[in-house]
Amino acid sequence: MAGAQCCSNPPTLNPNSGAGTIEQLGGLKTYISGSPNSKLAVLLISDVFGYEAPNIRMIADKVAAAGFYVTVPDFFYDDPFVYDNNRPLQVWLKDHATDKGFEDAKSAVEALKSKGFSALGAAGFCWGAKVVTQLSKSKSIEAAVLLHPSFVILDDIKEVNVPMAILGAEIDNYGPPALLKQFEEILASKPEADSYVEIFPNVAHGWTVRYNVEDEAAANSANEAHQKMLDWFSNYVK
């Protein structure tokens, strides 16, 4: 289920990128941006390239500027995916299953709650979207956003219990528009939780986090998605 499109346009990782700091959270090294005086936290869960990707840290800084305390944990323990013929993605995924990511995410959520944050949102990109979907079943967060999700299935969506927005790509083998439309129908049948699904035209899987910042059209599409994610959190994480 994971292949070339899942990993196209890989980022140049930079451990010094972003305006935030690196701290421990729930046993994980974590990029943190925003004021700890905020009572509202957002957990960003990366794609397979991990928390040192400059774009995901830039997104974290953008969300933090709106008043949230934003965390981007290293779910891969210093082992993000890199192209290697001896260790293709399917092999790498055996070492970094989303089930383990979910367990680590629960630890991060508990750590945030223990610090006094009263409301939490979570957004997941590609691999991270599956982890956020798992969190959304347990009501451990107040709101969720999935961006070009991978590995999410219909049965996952049937168990979602919190407001969820899904931002998908027109060109996507892992979260194809037809599947996202099915997600939309399932979520719409849940009056207890608001939902929103949008398919962005002329963009491909990964477009919200693996875009060239110097490509105006790509950056505009990504920024539009980031703003809709932020609007969702502003409405439901409070």
Side-chain angles (χ1 to χ4, degrees), residues 71-127:
T71 64
V72 191
D74 176 16
F75 287 98
F76 307 135
Y77 295 87
D78 289 322
D79 184 36
F81 177 69
V82 294
Y83 282 100
D84 182 346
N85 290 334
N86 295 318
R87 195 189 186 202
L89 183 64
Q90 293 289 8
V91 174
W92 180 90
L93 285 167
K94 292 178 181 178
D95 295 324
H96 300 290
T98 53
D99 287 348
K100 176 64 166 67
F102 175 47
E103 294 304 315
D104 285 340
K106 287 194 293 185
S107 296
V109 167
E110 287 306 312
L112 286 168
K113 289 183 176 179
S114 72
K115 291 177 180 290
F117 291 97
S118 57
L120 279 69
F125 303 79
C126 186
W127 181 95

Side-chain angles (χ1 to χ4, degrees), residues 3-4 22 53-54 56 68 71 101 104 117 119 152 157 164 166 175 188 192 198 204 214 219 224 226 229:
I22 305 298
I56 198 165
F68 295 97
T71 64
D104 285 340
F117 291 97
V152 180
I157 299 299
M164 173 175 281
I166 302 176
E192 70 277 10
E198 181 174 353
E214 296 178 359
E224 182 183 352
H226 301 160
M229 174 186 71

Side-chain angles (χ1 to χ4, degrees), residues 14 32 38 78 91 123 141 189:
N14 181 356
I32 292 178
S38 172
D78 289 322
V91 174
I141 57 175
S189 70

Side-chain angles (χ1 to χ4, degrees), residues 129-162:
K130 175 73 170 187
V131 178
V132 169
T133 304
Q134 296 290 86
L135 289 174
S136 302
K137 300 175 185 180
S138 62
K139 287 192 173 180
S140 58
I141 57 175
E142 275 63 50
V145 181
L146 312 185
L147 301 100
H148 38 87
S150 293
F151 312 118
V152 180
I153 61 175
L154 294 174
D155 284 346
D156 289 326
I157 299 299
K158 289 175 182 177
E159 296 183 49
V160 167
N161 286 309
V162 301

Side-chain angles (χ1 to χ4, degrees), residues 149 166-169 175-185 197 199:
I166 302 176
L167 307 178
L179 178 62
L180 301 192
K181 287 295 184 183
Q182 291 180 279
F183 291 174
E184 183 176 31
E185 291 171 4
V197 177
I199 310 298

